[in-house]
Amino acid sequence: MVKEKRAGIVNDTCIHQFDLRDVVLKKYKHICQYCGVKGNTIDHIVPRSKGGKTAFNNLVCACEQCNTEKGDLGLDCFLSIKKSK
């Protein structure tokens, strides 16, 4: 879990497990990385259905609307669709 950045070593005998969702939301200050409004969900940049992992470097904060619209689209595809709206 430490290697996957889901936990941190406190000392020789204690490891603290992080709530990955909370860490991601705090990292992005609850701002949707796709449209800039308040976000309350996390999104896999590379969808799990396309081999994306639930890892810190593959997660961003998203609003519910963007998360739903993105679905299992890849990032480039979703952004090009969003840009054309």
Side-chain angles (χ1 to χ4, degrees), residues 29-40 61-64 66:
K29 299 177 183 168
H30 291 263
I31 301 297
C32 176
Q33 297 303 289
Y34 303 127
C35 71
V37 303
K38 183 176 180 174
N40 58 356
C61 178
C63 67
E64 287 185 42
C66 286

